[in-house]
Amino acid sequence: TRRCDKCGAAIPAGGLYYEARIVLDQGFDGVIVVGPDDDLQSLVRRVDEQTRGVPERLLEQDVHKEMAFLLCPRCRERFAANPLNLPLDTGGVPRSYKDIED
């Protein structure tokens, strides 16, 4: 039996469900910040010291991570409406476009 990863609802065989996939990739703007006395070798040494003893799996997840979830229709609607779970404006729906502040 499939279950929704969010609410735990059972999804019967042949029932409607959704697969949500999330990919997190570390951004890089092309800038590497180095001190005035740093060269490439000292930079590599510093990175090596900072990552020594950290399992390779954790280092890889810091750069790239993929996740997949099964969602029932109700949880899919909630997720699609607010995927980052941001606070929602509780001011209500404006009566006209004039009520919307710039």
Side-chain angles (χ1 to χ4, degrees), residues 72-83:
C72 68
R74 184 170 184 239
C75 289
R76 181 254 182 222
E77 288 301 317
R78 287 179 170 173
F79 178 77
N82 190 1

Side-chain angles (χ1 to χ4, degrees), residues 2 5 9-11 14 24 27 29-30 41 50 53-54 56 63-64 69-71 74 77 80 86 98 100:
R2 288 186 174 100
D5 287 324
I11 301 169
L24 300 170
D29 63 2
Q41 288 180 345
Q50 291 172 345
V54 179
E56 185 177 320
V63 176
H64 176 84
F69 305 96
L70 292 181
L71 299 175
R74 184 170 184 239
E77 288 301 317
L86 298 173
K98 294 177 186 176
I100 300 173

Side-chain angles (χ1 to χ4, degrees), residues 87-95 99 101:
L88 300 176
D89 179 13
T90 58
V93 177
R95 293 176 190 224
D99 295 338
E101 296 179 353

